[in-house]
Amino acid sequence: MTERDVLLNELAQGLRPMSEGIEWFDVLGQEEQSEVLLFLRHHCVQARAVTEDAPASIRRAGLRPTHTPAVLISRGRIDEQLGKIAGLAPLDERRKAFRLLISVLAIADARRRERDCSGGCSHWWHKLSDAG
């Protein structure tokens, strides 16, 4: 577990404000931003994000349905679309992608926590709220 892992999971769990996450993301170089987006994409898939998560994720991220990441995630095959979102290049699109991927992770992981981990689990990120 790295500082980045903790930060991203705290953002997804609402333990840190998104404004703090955006400030952190904006300071990163383009290559580091791309790494973060790919990391988030991987964790969204691991959390078993589904296509039906798209509308709630778009709303939670505060995106308009016409923003590129929102359009992409609404096109089905979420695993493929998350990869396209993580690969967006312009800074403004990467920032929107970051917000959306955090939201997808939040929704998918909350469902996993409720369904699979309600009786306890060994996922360190499910214990972040206990640490503070």
Side-chain angles (χ1 to χ4, degrees), residues 16-72:
R16 286 188 190 235
M18 181 54 77
S19 58
E20 192 176 311
I22 295 294
E23 285 178 30
W24 172 83
F25 185 76
D26 282 350
V27 171
L28 301 175
Q30 184 171 347
E31 189 173 312
E32 291 172 298
Q33 286 180 346
S34 294
E35 288 174 14
V36 166
L37 295 175
L38 288 171
F39 173 88
L40 284 169
R41 179 228 172 255
H42 172 75
H43 285 287
C44 289
V45 171
Q46 291 297 311
R48 297 180 194 95
V50 294
T51 303
E52 292 76 21
D53 293 336
S57 298
I58 293 166
R59 280 191 304 278
R60 183 180 178 124
L63 299 181
R64 283 182 267 163
T66 55
H67 286 143
T68 303
V71 170
L72 289 171

Side-chain angles (χ1 to χ4, degrees), residues 20-131:
E20 192 176 311
I22 295 294
E23 285 178 30
W24 172 83
F25 185 76
D26 282 350
V27 171
L28 301 175
Q30 184 171 347
E31 189 173 312
E32 291 172 298
Q33 286 180 346
S34 294
E35 288 174 14
V36 166
L37 295 175
L38 288 171
F39 173 88
L40 284 169
R41 179 228 172 255
H42 172 75
H43 285 287
C44 289
V45 171
Q46 291 297 311
R48 297 180 194 95
V50 294
T51 303
E52 292 76 21
D53 293 336
S57 298
I58 293 166
R59 280 191 304 278
R60 183 180 178 124
L63 299 181
R64 283 182 267 163
T66 55
H67 286 143
T68 303
V71 170
L72 289 171
I73 200 170
S74 299
R75 289 191 174 158
R77 294 275 332 218
I78 195 160
D79 52 334
E80 290 178 10
Q81 299 309 321
L82 292 173
K84 291 177 185 176
I85 292 165
L88 291 171
L91 173 59
D92 189 48
E93 296 299 335
R94 284 196 312 271
R95 193 178 292 131
K96 291 173 194 164
F98 177 75
R99 289 172 33 206
L100 182 60
L101 291 173
I102 290 286
S103 296
V104 172
L105 179 59
I107 289 167
D109 194 55
R111 182 178 50 249
R112 176 172 59 174
R113 181 188 302 229
E114 183 179 304
R115 184 180 53 216
D116 302 333
C117 301
S118 61
C121 68
S122 61
H123 298 127
W124 63 263
W125 58 93
H126 288 168
K127 295 170 181 54
L128 289 172
S129 60
D130 299 339

